[in-house]
Amino acid sequence: MDESLALEVCLGVRQNNLEAAQAGLENILAVQDDREYISLVKIAILAALRKQQELMALHWLDACQGRLKAVFVQAELAADVASLLESWCFACCDRRLENVRVVLTDLVRQWFKAVAVSEAQALELELLNMAARMVRRGWRSEARWLLRLVSWHALRYKSQSQWQRLLANLSLHFTVYARWESFPKACEVYYELVLLLLVLVRRAGRAALDESRRAACLQLALRTVRDLVTNIARSTMQEDMDIFRQWYQYLWQLAGEDAKRKQHLLVLLQLSIAYWHSTLPKSSKKQLRFLQDLLQPNLLSEEYKALLRVIT
């Protein structure tokens, strides 16, 4: 790699010599080797992002994204592109460059579409870890952007193992934050986890899917909730029923005046309590009677009840 090209751009950006920086970028755009091009463009735009030269970064992203999208399909460059996107996403969040997110959203989504799921796993994990860092800083907007990038890709998953991996990682961050702060605050910060659970529950309710797939979707969603509730209750020295009630209060607030959304969220809650009671009868036996008000009226359809019998 011709490091002098990157150095020219970096010096121009650092010294606010925009003409020199632009000239250096033009030289980088002319590089023929794709791997070298990716490395140099990564450094150049990273310099602009870190210096908070937002307009320059947007201009340069516009200049290079056509070629970047063309190399997305090259499997041998997947790791290089993932590293590039990761570094740009972090710099964008670290410098709080809201306008740059629009372009990066498009690039990340295009790359997710172009690569195999196995090649996307590393970037997904880094984006989740990055979101957790933003959460610890109290930067909700940046965290939500990163979580939505991952959630968008999750909607394209084809296998149950992909869902299991994502929910396990996301649940880990959720649990850690709940221990530091509280369960209600974790619900607010990791709102996308609730959305993903709803997606699985609604898929389980689709009569067009075969029963085994529907049951797998429902079991994964409800097991995730159960494990979150029991782990957080144990670590914060509360009862499981206390966490369920806090979750109910959050979901009720989340639903607002939208009656349809409220029903979907209450179905998720009632299914979760039913699964918890069936799979952990010893710990739930004495507590269930204190949650009866959350189970009325019973919103579970016969189809959901049948699936519960299958998975418990």
Side-chain angles (χ1 to χ4, degrees):
M1 182 177 72
D2 189 348
E3 296 181 356
S4 63
L5 296 178
L7 181 61
E8 182 181 356
V9 173
C10 291
L11 286 176
V13 172
R14 179 172 296 183
Q15 297 169 359
N16 289 319
N17 187 340
L18 303 188
E19 290 185 3
Q22 182 63 37
L25 192 278
E26 294 295 336
N27 290 330
I28 289 175
L29 295 179
V31 171
Q32 296 300 309
D33 182 77
D34 286 335
R35 179 166 274 113
E36 183 178 3
Y37 173 83
I38 291 172
S39 298
L40 292 171
V41 163
K42 171 186 174 181
I43 295 170
I45 294 180
L46 195 56
L49 293 173
R50 286 174 174 169
K51 191 65 174 175
Q52 295 181 293
Q53 292 282 0
E54 191 170 29
L55 291 178
M56 177 184 288
L58 287 169
H59 177 67
W60 288 359
L61 283 166
D62 183 63
C64 73
Q65 65 176 313
R67 183 170 174 186
L68 282 177
K69 290 178 181 179
V71 302
F72 283 175
V73 296
Q74 300 182 38
E76 66 275 12
L77 296 176
D80 299 84
V81 175
S83 175
L84 172 146
L85 293 174
E86 177 194 338
S87 64
W88 288 354
C89 285
F90 179 76
C92 178
C93 292
D94 191 49
R95 296 299 188 266
R96 314 199 77 172
L97 303 176
E98 186 174 352
N99 292 326
V100 179
R101 290 187 214 161
V102 177
V103 180
L104 289 184
T105 296
D106 179 60
L107 282 174
V108 172
R109 287 182 175 182
Q110 289 292 331
W111 185 74
F112 276 146
K113 286 181 181 179
V115 301
V117 171
S118 59
E119 294 169 339
Q121 289 179 9
L123 181 59
E124 277 189 356
L125 181 59
E126 288 305 321
L127 292 178
L128 286 178
N129 292 337
M130 202 182 297
R133 295 172 68 178
M134 297 303 118
V135 167
R136 290 196 293 272
R137 294 183 186 186
W139 294 1
R140 297 283 184 89
S141 178
E142 286 75 16
R144 177 144 295 176
W145 174 60
L146 294 166
L147 290 171
R148 288 193 172 185
L149 284 176
V150 176
S151 299
W152 178 87
H153 186 234
L155 298 179
R156 304 177 64 250
Y157 286 165
K158 301 298 183 183
S159 75
Q160 203 70 7
S161 62
Q162 295 162 5
W163 276 101
Q164 289 173 349
R165 185 192 69 254
L166 173 61
L167 289 180
N169 288 324
L170 191 50
S171 295
L172 176 61
H173 291 304
F174 183 103
T175 302
V176 169
Y177 189 75
R179 289 172 181 171
W180 285 343
E181 297 292 339
S182 68
F183 182 79
K185 287 186 178 180
C187 288
E188 292 176 7
V189 170
Y190 287 99
Y191 163 73
E192 284 68 24
L193 176 58
V194 177
L195 294 183
L196 292 175
L197 293 172
L198 278 175
V199 167
L200 288 173
V201 169
R202 294 182 71 175
R203 286 184 180 179
R206 291 181 186 172
L209 299 177
D210 64 81
E211 185 181 77
S212 61
R213 185 176 176 187
R214 293 167 60 211
C217 288
L218 188 63
Q219 185 174 40
L220 178 57
L222 302 186
R223 184 187 295 161
T224 299
V225 175
R226 183 201 64 188
D227 292 348
L228 282 174
V229 168
T230 55
N231 288 338
I232 293 169
R234 189 179 302 113
S235 64
T236 57
M237 294 183 289
Q238 300 180 74
E239 298 288 354
D240 294 1
M241 65 179 184
D242 297 326
I243 303 301
F244 273 120
R245 192 161 291 281
Q246 291 173 38
W247 195 37
Y248 165 77
Q249 291 170 351
Y250 169 73
L251 295 179
W252 189 265
Q253 180 183 9
L254 182 63
E257 299 300 321
D258 190 326
K260 188 174 182 180
R261 178 187 294 178
K262 186 173 293 184
Q263 181 169 342
H264 287 316
L265 291 171
L266 289 178
V267 166
L268 171 60
L269 176 68
Q270 291 185 358
L271 284 168
S272 300
I273 293 174
Y275 184 78
W276 163 74
H277 176 57
S278 297
T279 56
L280 296 176
K282 289 184 179 180
S283 60
S284 65
K285 183 178 180 180
K286 294 181 179 180
Q287 300 180 55
L288 184 63
R289 63 192 179 95
F290 297 104
L291 297 174
Q292 287 302 315
D293 59 310
L294 307 187
L295 302 176
Q296 300 299 327
N298 190 330
L299 300 174
L300 302 186
S301 66
E302 291 303 319
E303 288 77 8
Y304 278 131
K305 291 177 182 178
L307 286 177
L308 277 172
R309 288 191 290 270
V310 171
I311 64 178
T312 58

